[in-house]
Structures are given as structure tokens and as C-alpha cells.
Amino acid sequence: MKPDETSKAFAQKLDENDELKKFRRLFFLGDENTIYLDGNSLGRLPLKTKQLITETVNDQWGNQLIESWNRNWYNKPVELGDKIAELTGAAPGEIIVCDNTSANLYKLAHAALKLQPKKNRIVSDVFNFPTDLYILQGLINDFGNRHELVLARSTDNITIDLADLQEKIDENTALIVLSLVAFKSSFLYNALGVNRMAHKKGALLLWDLSHATGAVEVELNKTDADLAVGCTYKYLNGGPGSPAYLYVRKDLQEKISNPIQGWFGEHNPFLFDLNYRPANGIKKFLTGTPPILSLLAIEPGIDMLLQAGIQKIAEKSRRQTSYFISLLQSLVPFGFTAGYPQEPESRGSHVSLKHPEGYRITRALINPGKSTPRIIPDFREPDNIRFGITPLYTTYTELWQTIQRLREIVVTREYENFSQDKNAVT
Ligand SMILES: *Cc1c(COP(=O)(O)O)cnc(C)c1O
């Protein structure tokens, strides 16, 4: 007899046969009654990180004090950059960890515009993360309002219209800034295709990898990527506010410069020379002193991803998102509609589900009655409930339970117990 693929037993079987199942135990799970589906916003805490922070505070800051700079701290931005390079198909010396995604985007976008003073078009899309667009709007102002920012459109509100994107990239385009995975719908670009589109017109492309790295295959070198930025607190499990990273392709490194000429990006900061000379290679994109505790906290999460292998993680992500989407079909009669791309190869690792009562349903998932699992997704305006799937710790059984809870909440109208008023962070 064919197994019932919608049964709990089937989900449990998938978990038993999961090659990556041993990684879940390496995270702090706390209350076992919590199903965490927001790893695309803030990854779970690796147990090793907990221990590492205590050791860093006691041994390095506490005992070794300033000596720790030479022993443990000074080279970390480069060392961690090289590890992220391994995760994203870049070469050593092409990625460095520093600042936050917004600041890194500012630095690289500024550099790209400065390199091409005669061109005055910047292209992005309507799904980009707002901070990216805010930074670009500010840069346009800084450069004397010579540039226009045009956004590729979406006709279905889920995927970007690639023909429109292609049309908007013209010979006058200096820079294209796109999120590889869209934060709302999870739409995933074909990086190789879009890089080619950009290069054909002589434009530089800057990818924002925040919703991609650690969840899908990112092949910066193979796809001929120019520039990229990304954060480390989502699928890399680096912790709240952990520093971000930036990528500059080797041959571009000598052509562009950092608009924020801080001493950490200087050739030899401890000569304290009064005149700035940029460091060689990727290091010139550093600015000032990094937040060491947060910086060091990134490493255990990255090590786990490297150990599991990004290929295996991405495969499990596709299996889990497809499984979850197949179960979602039973919710269609209750007013839920797809907020995700239909083709698996066009999806990242979170699944957006639309419902007119999306916000209150999210509140009900997070605040259940006694002896019901607490399920944590997040909500994005106007009606998207986002379920983040993080293959290192999300189980098939959790996904199955989430479907049952969603059905229960709408059938019993449990969401009506919650207010429409939004919290500051949704
Ligand atoms: C999370 C995220 C950011 C966050 O930027 P910060 O400056 O690090 O706060 C930026 N871009 C995208 C696409 C994101 O998903």
C-alpha cells in the first residue's frame, strides 16, 4: 500500500531518514514545545556559540585583555570572510566580514557609481529589501541627483518580470542591485542569467545575499558575480546584530575604493600615519573597530553549515519547502493563497502564505492555549505569513504540525481573540 503522504507517520519517517538530522541537537532548543519557523529572520543559537561567548568574555577580554587582538581578534574579519567564501563559491580574499548589510551596500554601491561617472541609471526591483532602496536613494542625493532609480516590476506579485528587468537595463546603467532571494515571496533569481544580462550592457551587479546564503546554492565565481553583500544573523545563525559581509570580485578590487576611509581599511593602521593609503585587496573595505563579541559569535554557525555541506542543505531545503507546499493545498478552502513561486528552482527557503487575516493568524500561532505547540513564523505586510525553513534544525514533523494548527485556527476562528494592532517588530 502507498503511504499516506499527508499523515504524521509519513512526516516522522522523513525525519528518521534525514541525513542532516544530527545537526538539530547542536542548537539550543529551549522549550521543546516551540516550533521555530523564523530562521530566515534570526537563526537559532548554536550551543557552541553560547560556550564560545562565555570563553571569549572570561579568557580573552577578562584575562588576556588587549593581547587578544593579536592572538584572536585582528584577523577574524578576513578568516570569517574566507569561510563565507567557501559557502558562497567565492575565492579566499574576496569576502570580508564587517559593519552591517546596509553600510556595506552603501560602500559598494558608492564605489560602483564612482567608477562609472558617465552613466546615470540604477536598476533594482519592486521586491528588494527596503533598506537597499533607501541606501540607493541616499546615494543618488549624495551624487548630486544625476541618477535615476528604476524598478523592475512584478505582474503576479510573487515573481519578477524578467523581460521587464532586461528592458530596464540599458547602456546607461551603472549599477543593478537585487536580492538573490526576495524577502517577501522568496522568489529566487537565476544568478548566472541576470549577471549575463547586466554584463551585456556593461553594468555592474550588486547582489544582496541576506536571504540566500546558508539556505540555497550561491555560486559567486561560477556565475561571474561582481559585487555582493549579506547578513549573518539569518541562515548563518550568527546572532542578533552580528556583523555582515561583502564580496568584491578579485579583478575589481583594485579598481574601486571604499568611500569610508577608516583606519581598519588602511595599509598599516598601527603606523598611525596621518595620510590614508588603502590596504591591499579586500581589507580596504573595512572601516573601524569591529564588534568583537558579535564577530566571534558568527563562527560556530558557519562551521556547522560547512560541515553539513551547502549542497545537502539546499537539497533538504527544496525537499522541505516542496513537502510543506504540498500539505498547504488542503488549506485552500480556508482562504489561504500561495504567496510563493510555483517552480521549485525559483524559490528560496521560506514559504509565504497569504490570508486576509494573516496578521491575527500569526498572533494565534505564536500565542496558543495550554498544551498546544507555540509556532513562530513572521508576518510581512499586507497579508503574508512567512514560514522560514532552516534545514539544519527544521523537522518534517514540525511542518506537518504547523499545517494542523493553521487549519485549527481558521476553522475555530481562534484568530478573532487577537487584536489587529501591530507590534513594533512583526
Ligand atoms: C535582513 C536583510 C537586510 C538587513 O540589513 P542590515 O543592514 O544588516 O540590518 C538587508 N537586505 C536584505 C535582503 C535582508 O534580507
Side-chain angles (χ1 to χ4, degrees):
M1 207 179 81
K2 206 170 164 306
D4 174 7
E5 297 191 358
T6 63
S7 69
K8 186 171 191 182
F10 186 76
Q12 288 167 330
K13 195 87 200 157
L14 292 172
D15 284 324
E16 269 167 47
N17 296 333
D18 171 22
E19 273 190 282
L20 299 179
K21 66 180 172 194
K22 68 169 187 203
F23 285 95
R24 183 175 160 88
R25 288 188 282 108
L26 306 179
F27 289 89
F28 179 82
L29 297 174
D31 171 15
E32 280 281 2
N33 207 29
T34 294
I35 295 176
Y36 190 63
L37 297 175
D38 210 5
N40 58 313
S41 240
L42 174 67
R44 271 193 186 273
L45 166 63
L47 287 173
K48 241 198 165 141
T49 306
K50 223 167 161 255
Q51 186 193 339
L52 180 83
I53 288 185
T54 310
E55 281 168 16
T56 305
V57 168
N58 292 337
D59 302 346
Q60 297 178 16
W61 183 13
N63 284 317
Q64 299 168 41
L65 286 158
I66 203 157
E67 280 295 293
S68 298
W69 274 108
N70 284 318
R71 281 195 200 136
N72 305 98
W73 301 344
Y74 191 61
N75 287 324
K76 270 294 158 193
V78 172
E79 289 165 22
L80 293 176
D82 285 350
K83 286 190 175 187
I84 294 174
E86 206 178 323
L87 272 184
T88 53
E94 286 187 319
I95 293 187
I96 198 150
V97 173
C98 52
D99 304 318
N100 54 45
T101 313
S102 306
N104 287 336
L105 191 99
Y106 178 86
K107 291 185 284 184
L108 295 190
H110 187 290
L113 295 180
K114 202 167 160 218
L115 183 68
Q116 308 162 89
K118 297 217 172 73
K119 298 183 185 173
N120 55 21
R121 174 171 278 214
I122 305 171
V123 178
S124 186
D125 71 33
V126 292
F127 289 162
N128 209 345
F129 200 82
T131 201
D132 296 35
L133 302 179
Y134 303 158
I135 295 285
L136 294 173
Q137 289 158 10
L139 276 167
I140 289 173
N141 207 13
D142 291 348
F143 275 79
N145 293 305
R146 289 191 289 107
H147 299 83
E148 56 168 352
L149 173 62
V150 295
L151 305 182
R153 66 168 184 219
S154 169
T155 50
D156 58 5
N157 214 11
I158 292 172
T159 61
I160 290 294
D161 178 348
L162 293 176
D164 185 55
L165 176 65
Q166 182 157 23
E167 214 168 282
K168 292 207 154 93
I169 303 171
D170 61 11
E171 268 85 13
N172 193 26
T173 303
L175 178 67
I176 301 150
V177 178
L178 301 171
S179 288
L180 184 59
V181 172
F183 79 100
K184 235 181 238 185
S185 72
S186 195
F187 171 66
L188 166 66
Y189 276 109
N190 173 329
L192 182 62
V194 184
N195 281 328
R196 281 201 181 130
M197 220 184 252
H199 295 159
K200 214 179 261 173
K201 301 287 180 179
L204 289 171
L205 202 156
L206 198 175
W207 290 107
D208 186 333
L209 303 175
S210 297
H211 263 81
T213 303
V216 302
E217 290 101 338
V218 177
E219 290 286 358
L220 289 168
N221 285 170
K222 270 196 203 150
T223 61
D224 203 16
D226 304 312
L227 304 163
V229 295
C231 73
T232 62
Y233 49 80
K234 292 170 183 166
Y235 295 103
L236 302 192
N237 307 309
S242 57
Y245 56 92
L246 63 83
Y247 157 88
V248 181
R249 200 179 63 217
K250 206 81 191 204
D251 65 290
L252 270 175
Q253 291 179 5
E254 296 316 308
K255 292 186 191 147
I256 62 174
S257 49
N258 183 351
I260 308 172
Q261 295 190 164
W263 70 312
F264 266 63
E266 214 273 339
H267 193 76
N268 191 345
F270 287 87
L271 281 182
F272 295 99
D273 197 280
L274 297 188
N275 292 301
Y276 174 87
R277 288 170 314 156
N280 292 328
I282 197 76
K283 280 181 80 171
K284 75 175 164 201
F285 293 99
L286 293 177
T287 55
T289 311
I292 291 296
L293 297 179
S294 293
L295 179 73
L296 266 57
I298 300 172
E299 196 155 15
I302 299 175
D303 285 344
M304 260 194 280
L305 291 164
L306 287 172
Q307 204 195 335
I310 197 65
Q311 194 71 40
K312 290 230 163 76
I313 291 168
E315 278 163 18
K316 182 173 167 189
S317 157
R318 280 190 290 271
R319 273 199 296 274
Q320 287 194 308
T321 45
S322 297
Y323 170 75
F324 190 59
I325 285 170
S326 74
L327 295 183
L328 285 177
Q329 305 319 311
S330 70
L331 297 179
V332 171
F334 305 105
F336 289 98
T337 52
Y340 48 83
Q342 292 304 314
E343 301 75 29
E345 65 277 10
S346 301
R347 290 201 289 259
S349 202
H350 63 278
V351 175
S352 264
L353 192 58
K354 291 173 181 284
H355 192 286
E357 285 290 350
Y359 182 71
R360 294 204 291 175
I361 293 170
T362 306
R363 296 314 305 156
L365 284 168
I366 299 174
N367 302 286
K370 271 206 184 84
S371 73
T372 303
R374 176 170 70 129
I375 301 176
I376 309 182
D378 68 17
F379 175 78
R380 288 294 173 266
E381 295 286 353
D383 57 358
N384 293 279
I385 314 173
R386 296 192 312 173
F387 299 93
I389 292 177
T390 39
L392 289 189
Y393 52 81
T394 302
T395 66
Y396 290 91
T397 308
E398 288 179 320
L399 297 175
W400 183 88
Q401 285 174 289
T402 301
I403 301 290
Q404 313 313 308
R405 264 300 279 160
L406 281 168
R407 187 180 302 114
E408 183 176 80
I409 288 167
V410 287
V411 168
T412 63
R413 297 183 163 263
E414 190 181 320
Y415 60 83
E416 288 180 351
N417 300 332
F418 294 87
S419 156
Q420 304 268 19
D421 297 341
K422 307 270 158 66
N423 287 336
V425 175
T426 58

